[in-house]
Amino acid sequence: MNNRIAVVPGSFDPPTLGHIDVIRRAAALYDELHVLVVHNPGKEAMLPIAQRLSLLEQSIAEENVDGNVIVASWSMGLLVDYATDVDAGVLVKGIRSQVDVAYETPMAIVNRHLAQIETVFLLPDPAHALVSSSLVRQVAALGGDVSPFVPGPVARFLDTGARGL
Amino acid sequence: MNNRIAVVPGSFDPPTLGHIDVIRRAAALYDELHVLVVHNPGKEAMLPIAQRLSLLEQSIAEENVDGNVIVASWSMGLLVDYATDVDAGVLVKGIRSQVDVAYETPMAIVNRHLAQIETVFLLPDPAHALVSSSLVRQVAALGGDVSPFVPGPVARFLDTGARGL
Amino acid sequence: MNNRIAVVPGSFDPPTLGHIDVIRRAAALYDELHVLVVHNPGKEAMLPIAQRLSLLEQSIAEENVDGNVIVASWSMGLLVDYATDVDAGVLVKGIRSQVDVAYETPMAIVNRHLAQIETVFLLPDPAHALVSSSLVRQVAALGGDVSPFVPGPVARFLDTGARGL
Amino acid sequence: MNNRIAVVPGSFDPPTLGHIDVIRRAAALYDELHVLVVHNPGKEAMLPIAQRLSLLEQSIAEENVDGNVIVASWSMGLLVDYATDVDAGVLVKGIRSQVDVAYETPMAIVNRHLAQIETVFLLPDPAHALVSSSLVRQVAALGGDVSPFVPGPVARFLDTGARGL
Amino acid sequence: MNNRIAVVPGSFDPPTLGHIDVIRRAAALYDELHVLVVHNPGKEAMLPIAQRLSLLEQSIAEENVDGNVIVASWSMGLLVDYATDVDAGVLVKGIRSQVDVAYETPMAIVNRHLAQIETVFLLPDPAHALVSSSLVRQVAALGGDVSPFVPGPVARFLDTGARGL
Amino acid sequence: MNNRIAVVPGSFDPPTLGHIDVIRRAAALYDELHVLVVHNPGKEAMLPIAQRLSLLEQSIAEENVDGNVIVASWSMGLLVDYATDVDAGVLVKGIRSQVDVAYETPMAIVNRHLAQIETVFLLPDPAHALVSSSLVRQVAALGGDVSPFVPGPVARFLDTGARGL
């Protein structure tokens, strides 16, 4: 495996400013960065995966993240199978809080066992760190303004799309 | 907005002694306190909202909380819309544990962005702090005695009501 | 109640090496140890209770845990009702992380109120502590190798059984 | 006691942008706000108390905090004695993290017992929340630029004062 | 080693109601309970060890803890050496918060390696759980009333003794 | 700065198996890894810095860590000054627990401000993660066997050296 290639997995339902911040930082640390939309069968999604891919691509372009980012999705198996396919040696996770760390630690240990892949935790900018996709979904569902928490393309989409224009 | 008017939001499904303790403390800190039963569409409720309102009112009366408390419900939009309607400048949340703080912090930041409203965290009496509505529901469902954890009206209701008398 | 008799409750869906480690330590601390498969109506299970009982019994035998262990299940009421029936004075819970402690503390306080029963927390071996049944289920569902995290009988069952052989 | 009068206690050694942010928010919530420099005999200080008072006053002026703020110091007894003297009914503490909450909770419970005074926790702006006075002292001692973390008067003082100009 | 004999180690400088509560619960769980005052060379103590022993003995008597409690001190070596000397198979620690657990976990793992001794964590009554000896010392040093947090003998001693009567 | 060059800072007083595990993982992720013994003026050290450097070098050799590791010390200024000198773009910290993360997060944010350097958090092997240098020092000072927690050269040194050969 190549430790210059990394994967940032997530649901990105929708992408937040915290996600884009972590992606930007990870893109500066690795030669090739895969932003991977992972299907979580246990959670009901707000957005279809194709929409999340499109919003991620638009957001990454609009926010001027480095050009070494590949956006993809994965719903057929283990996250480490994707990482192995693209020869990535590193998983990157942004951590918003201590509770995040408690949640991510066991998965990192499992992925290490499954594929000798290392997980590195990165800190988002504290100004963008706290607000999760789940909270954005709740606020958007009630008609609140989520533009302080998400990139422009997501804000514009939720404003028109979610309201059925 | 008036910083002498505060809102204590919650599911109150059912109200616990911890809730009543926080309500009593908040009632002493503000001129007008709204105890707001918030409908959470993502959670299946044990009690209908009308029942929760009734139990809150009975409990507040029986526990001799100050007279400046208004019990209401809200299911039409953002919590901050209610707060704005009643001109409240403060949200009050009781915190039972560090995990509670981790959960409440992002919502407080979002509400600050949405409506310039400040959230203050209050500590319940440690003797009543730990037991949540969710745990009361589990114990009651299995026929356990919840009277050490809930106010009298809730204990009497769950004893007779929940068992279908 | 007899403080030489203890109960280790859990979902054990499936049993993990962390579970077996806690059971082994608890078996050395008490004269009689009940490993109790508790039905959780709020969670959808992977394995039927009979299967979990069988896997626990095989795993306890294969891992040479002391002979004072009784495996049973309970789905009719409160955990403390079982404890009272077998005259147990102690509940034992393994704690993997601080989040576990935050989750278990209120239940321990409730059980103390319900039946004057004390909960003691034990630390699993850190090498086995982190991985939960829930994570094992996720990995197994995606075809990953869970053998580093579960006892032999569970690994063999998931390899053949879960894949429908 | 008057619940319109609040005290924000701290070491303020030196004041940080997080402190000023909490002071600004508290000043908006109460009619009279006492910012109290508390002498902690167990900690060796970087700045004498008179210097901390001066820096607080300059910072509050320069950052345009509301005019209802009184800066004072206290080294003769319990914090609640000061609060009682000025008839304050509320203590305000900014919380940067869950560890802060764990540290502040027992003190809040003690102060409630000592003087029936309530402690409310406020969240600083996440962009300024994390960096403590202690970390500012470490960075300044090694010659690092602390201006992103402290108000202008503190940055100017540490740049000239701490280096003995 | 005998798993019916347990040791509750601590600084007990001074004993608190939380300590007495844990001692009472542990005394009910084991046949013989050693309450061990451990000298911590890294901390400056308020009370000499002989005073702590005396206050513990008086408090245990006054609070009617079971008769199977032995109070002793240890300053010559590892805690597990004492445990081995008295043939104890269990260490008991009360846990006040998640931070306590994070602090105690590594020591428990070390003691397990050093002497195959198991540490069990017990929950104090939440009403008495939060206030530490360290906080009692701070309050007492400033002349505050610590009687809600400590057993009678400690309250009486600190009221007269610490003030030089 | 070069994101293929990383620095693992620490006190390493003494190095533990957890340290060596993090160094091994980081050595596999970067082209050049600096293990930097940082002098902490606020802590009294057990071992002089030269001794720590020697033990690190022996341990890294004996444990067969990759050959791209440079051991150095730094006591003249900010950690980021060293990183800038060697053109490192990444700081690596092992995290043992959620409390570690809470402690390291503010320093990582400060270092990002001071020198646009990113901190990545790595998980040690859980089997070695918990025991800190501080705990090793305590156990060694009391004559306990620290060999399960430290690399061979440290165990041999503490056994003969600390006991005066």
Side-chain angles (χ1 to χ4, degrees):
Chain A
M1 287 186 303
N2 185 335
N3 62 25
R4 304 298 309 132
I5 304 176
V7 177
V8 182
S11 293
F12 304 108
D13 184 30
T16 67
L17 286 178
H19 290 139
I20 300 299
D21 184 72
V22 167
I23 290 167
R24 183 197 310 283
R25 293 177 192 284
L29 291 180
Y30 297 97
D31 292 346
E32 184 178 313
L33 184 73
H34 295 254
V35 177
L36 192 69
V37 179
V38 180
H39 174 62
N40 185 334
K43 285 201 233 171
E44 207 176 322
M46 176 177 74
L47 302 176
I49 284 181
Q51 187 65 56
R52 294 183 238 167
L53 289 170
S54 165
L55 289 173
L56 271 173
E57 278 163 359
Q58 294 172 56
S59 302
I60 285 166
E62 188 169 315
E63 300 270 340
N64 294 312
V65 176
D66 283 2
N68 58 337
V69 176
I70 295 160
V71 176
S73 69
W74 188 246
S75 56
M76 294 179 305
L78 294 164
L79 168 59
V80 294
D81 293 340
Y82 178 90
T84 304
D85 280 1
V86 300
D87 200 31
V90 180
L91 300 176
V92 175
K93 298 291 292 189
I95 47 176
R96 286 168 303 174
S97 74
Q98 295 177 55
V99 175
D100 262 14
V101 177
Y103 181 74
E104 296 290 346
T105 295
M107 290 203 285
I109 298 301
V110 166
N111 286 326
R112 190 184 275 171
H113 274 281
L114 289 171
Q116 287 73 52
I117 197 166
E118 208 60 57
T119 299
V120 307
F121 296 120
L122 276 188
L123 294 171
D125 186 326
H128 298 147
L130 286 168
V131 177
S132 64
S133 292
S134 149
L135 195 46
V136 166
R137 289 198 301 273
Q138 286 178 45
V139 173
L142 296 169
D145 175 21
V146 296
S147 62
F149 314 119
V150 295
V154 175
R156 292 191 296 273
F157 173 78
L158 290 176
D159 201 33
T160 59
R163 293 179 177 182
L165 187 83
Chain B
M1 286 186 305
N2 185 334
N3 60 25
R4 304 301 310 132
I5 305 177
V7 176
V8 182
S11 294
F12 303 108
D13 182 32
T16 66
L17 286 178
H19 290 139
I20 300 299
D21 184 72
V22 167
I23 290 167
R24 183 197 310 282
R25 293 177 193 283
L29 292 181
Y30 298 97
D31 293 345
E32 185 178 313
L33 184 74
H34 295 254
V35 177
L36 192 68
V37 179
V38 180
H39 173 61
N40 185 334
K43 285 201 233 170
E44 208 176 321
M46 176 176 74
L47 302 176
I49 284 181
Q51 187 65 56
R52 295 184 236 166
L53 289 169
S54 164
L55 289 172
L56 270 173
E57 278 162 359
Q58 294 171 57
S59 302
I60 286 166
E62 188 168 316
E63 300 271 340
N64 293 312
V65 176
D66 283 2
N68 58 338
V69 176
I70 295 160
V71 176
S73 69
W74 187 245
S75 57
M76 293 180 304
L78 294 164
L79 168 58
V80 293
D81 293 339
Y82 179 89
T84 304
D85 280 1
V86 300
D87 200 32
V90 181
L91 300 176
V92 175
K93 299 291 291 188
I95 46 175
R96 285 167 304 173
S97 74
Q98 296 176 53
V99 175
D100 262 13
V101 176
Y103 180 75
E104 296 290 347
T105 296
M107 291 204 285
I109 298 301
V110 165
N111 286 326
R112 189 184 276 172
H113 274 282
L114 289 171
Q116 286 74 51
I117 197 166
E118 208 60 57
T119 300
V120 307
F121 296 119
L122 276 188
L123 294 171
D125 186 327
H128 299 145
L130 284 169
V131 177
S132 64
S133 293
S134 149
L135 195 46
V136 167
R137 290 197 301 273
Q138 287 177 45
V139 173
L142 296 168
D145 174 20
V146 296
S147 62
F149 315 119
V150 296
V154 175
R156 292 191 296 273
F157 174 78
L158 290 176
D159 202 34
T160 58
R163 292 175 178 187
L165 189 82
Chain C
M1 286 185 306
N2 185 335
N3 60 26
R4 302 301 310 132
I5 304 177
V7 177
V8 182
S11 293
F12 304 108
D13 183 32
T16 65
L17 285 178
H19 291 139
I20 299 300
D21 184 72
V22 167
I23 290 167
R24 184 197 309 281
R25 294 177 192 283
L29 291 181
Y30 298 97
D31 292 347
E32 184 178 313
L33 184 74
H34 295 254
V35 177
L36 192 68
V37 179
V38 180
H39 173 62
N40 184 334
K43 286 200 234 170
E44 207 174 321
M46 176 176 75
L47 302 176
I49 284 182
Q51 187 65 57
R52 295 183 236 167
L53 289 169
S54 165
L55 289 173
L56 271 172
E57 278 162 0
Q58 294 172 57
S59 302
I60 286 166
E62 188 168 315
E63 300 270 341
N64 293 312
V65 176
D66 283 2
N68 58 337
V69 176
I70 295 160
V71 176
S73 70
W74 188 247
S75 56
M76 292 180 306
L78 294 163
L79 168 59
V80 294
D81 293 340
Y82 178 89
T84 304
D85 280 2
V86 300
D87 200 31
V90 181
L91 300 176
V92 175
K93 299 290 292 190
I95 45 176
R96 286 167 303 174
S97 74
Q98 295 176 54
V99 175
D100 262 14
V101 177
Y103 180 75
E104 296 289 347
T105 296
M107 291 202 285
I109 298 300
V110 165
N111 286 327
R112 190 185 276 172
H113 273 282
L114 289 171
Q116 287 74 51
I117 197 166
E118 208 60 56
T119 300
V120 308
F121 296 120
L122 275 188
L123 294 171
D125 186 325
H128 298 147
L130 285 169
V131 177
S132 63
S133 293
S134 150
L135 194 46
V136 167
R137 290 197 301 272
Q138 286 178 46
V139 173
L142 296 168
D145 174 22
V146 297
S147 62
F149 315 119
V150 296
V154 175
R156 292 191 296 273
F157 173 79
L158 289 176
D159 200 34
T160 59
R163 294 179 176 182
L165 188 84
Chain D
M1 287 187 305
N2 185 335
N3 61 26
R4 304 297 310 131
I5 304 178
V7 177
V8 182
S11 295
F12 302 108
D13 184 32
T16 65
L17 285 179
H19 290 139
I20 300 300
D21 184 72
V22 166
I23 291 167
R24 184 197 308 282
R25 292 177 193 284
L29 291 181
Y30 298 97
D31 291 346
E32 186 178 310
L33 184 74
H34 295 255
V35 177
L36 192 70
V37 178
V38 179
H39 174 62
N40 184 333
K43 285 201 234 170
E44 208 175 322
M46 176 177 75
L47 302 176
I49 284 180
Q51 187 65 57
R52 294 184 237 167
L53 289 169
S54 165
L55 289 173
L56 270 173
E57 278 162 359
Q58 294 171 57
S59 302
I60 286 166
E62 188 168 315
E63 300 271 341
N64 294 311
V65 175
D66 283 3
N68 58 336
V69 176
I70 295 160
V71 176
S73 69
W74 188 246
S75 56
M76 292 180 305
L78 294 164
L79 168 59
V80 293
D81 294 340
Y82 178 88
T84 304
D85 280 3
V86 301
D87 200 31
V90 180
L91 299 175
V92 175
K93 299 290 292 189
I95 45 175
R96 286 169 301 176
S97 73
Q98 294 176 55
V99 174
D100 262 14
V101 176
Y103 180 75
E104 297 290 346
T105 295
M107 291 203 284
I109 298 300
V110 166
N111 286 327
R112 189 184 276 172
H113 274 282
L114 289 172
Q116 288 74 52
I117 198 167
E118 209 59 55
T119 300
V120 307
F121 296 120
L122 275 188
L123 294 171
D125 185 327
H128 299 146
L130 285 170
V131 177
S132 64
S133 292
S134 150
L135 195 46
V136 166
R137 288 198 302 274
Q138 287 178 45
V139 173
L142 296 169
D145 174 21
V146 297
S147 63
F149 315 120
V150 296
V154 175
R156 292 191 297 273
F157 173 80
L158 290 176
D159 200 33
T160 61
R163 294 178 177 184
L165 189 83
Chain E
M1 287 187 304
N2 185 334
N3 61 26
R4 303 301 310 133
I5 304 178
V7 177
V8 181
S11 295
F12 303 108
D13 183 33
T16 65
L17 285 179
H19 291 138
I20 300 300
D21 184 73
V22 167
I23 290 167
R24 183 197 309 281
R25 293 177 192 283
L29 292 180
Y30 298 96
D31 291 347
E32 185 178 311
L33 184 74
H34 296 254
V35 177
L36 192 69
V37 179
V38 180
H39 173 61
N40 184 333
K43 286 201 233 169
E44 208 175 321
M46 177 176 76
L47 301 176
I49 283 180
Q51 187 66 57
R52 295 183 237 167
L53 289 169
S54 166
L55 289 173
L56 270 173
E57 277 162 359
Q58 293 171 58
S59 302
I60 286 166
E62 189 168 315
E63 300 270 341
N64 295 311
V65 176
D66 283 3
N68 58 336
V69 176
I70 295 160
V71 176
S73 69
W74 186 247
S75 56
M76 293 182 304
L78 294 164
L79 168 58
V80 293
D81 293 340
Y82 178 89
T84 304
D85 280 3
V86 300
D87 200 31
V90 180
L91 300 176
V92 175
K93 300 289 293 189
I95 45 175
R96 286 168 301 175
S97 73
Q98 295 177 53
V99 175
D100 262 14
V101 176
Y103 180 75
E104 297 290 346
T105 296
M107 291 203 285
I109 297 300
V110 166
N111 286 327
R112 189 185 277 171
H113 275 280
L114 289 170
Q116 288 73 52
I117 197 167
E118 208 60 56
T119 300
V120 307
F121 296 118
L122 276 188
L123 294 171
D125 185 327
H128 298 148
L130 285 169
V131 177
S132 64
S133 292
S134 151
L135 195 46
V136 166
R137 290 197 303 271
Q138 288 178 45
V139 173
L142 296 168
D145 174 21
V146 297
S147 62
F149 315 119
V150 296
V154 175
R156 292 192 297 273
F157 173 79
L158 289 176
D159 200 32
T160 61
R163 293 176 179 186
L165 188 82
Chain F
M1 287 187 304
N2 185 333
N3 61 26
R4 302 301 310 132
I5 305 177
V7 177
V8 181
S11 295
F12 302 108
D13 183 31
T16 65
L17 285 178
H19 291 139
I20 300 300
D21 184 72
V22 167
I23 290 167
R24 184 197 308 282
R25 293 177 192 284
L29 291 181
Y30 298 97
D31 291 347
E32 184 178 311
L33 184 74
H34 295 254
V35 176
L36 191 70
V37 178
V38 180
H39 173 62
N40 184 333
K43 285 201 233 169
E44 209 175 321
M46 176 176 75
L47 302 176
I49 283 180
Q51 187 65 58
R52 295 184 236 167
L53 289 169
S54 164
L55 289 173
L56 270 173
E57 278 162 359
Q58 294 171 58
S59 302
I60 286 166
E62 188 167 317
E63 300 271 340
N64 294 312
V65 175
D66 283 3
N68 57 336
V69 176
I70 296 160
V71 175
S73 70
W74 187 246
S75 57
M76 293 180 305
L78 294 164
L79 168 59
V80 293
D81 293 340
Y82 178 90
T84 304
D85 280 2
V86 301
D87 200 31
V90 180
L91 300 175
V92 175
K93 300 290 292 189
I95 46 175
R96 286 168 302 176
S97 73
Q98 295 176 54
V99 174
D100 261 14
V101 177
Y103 180 74
E104 297 289 347
T105 295
M107 290 203 285
I109 298 299
V110 165
N111 286 327
R112 190 185 276 172
H113 274 281
L114 289 171
Q116 287 74 53
I117 198 167
E118 208 61 56
T119 300
V120 307
F121 296 118
L122 276 188
L123 293 171
D125 185 326
H128 300 147
L130 284 169
V131 177
S132 64
S133 293
S134 151
L135 194 46
V136 167
R137 290 197 302 274
Q138 287 178 46
V139 173
L142 297 168
D145 174 20
V146 297
S147 62
F149 315 119
V150 296
V154 175
R156 292 191 296 273
F157 172 79
L158 290 176
D159 201 33
T160 61
R163 293 179 177 182
L165 197 79

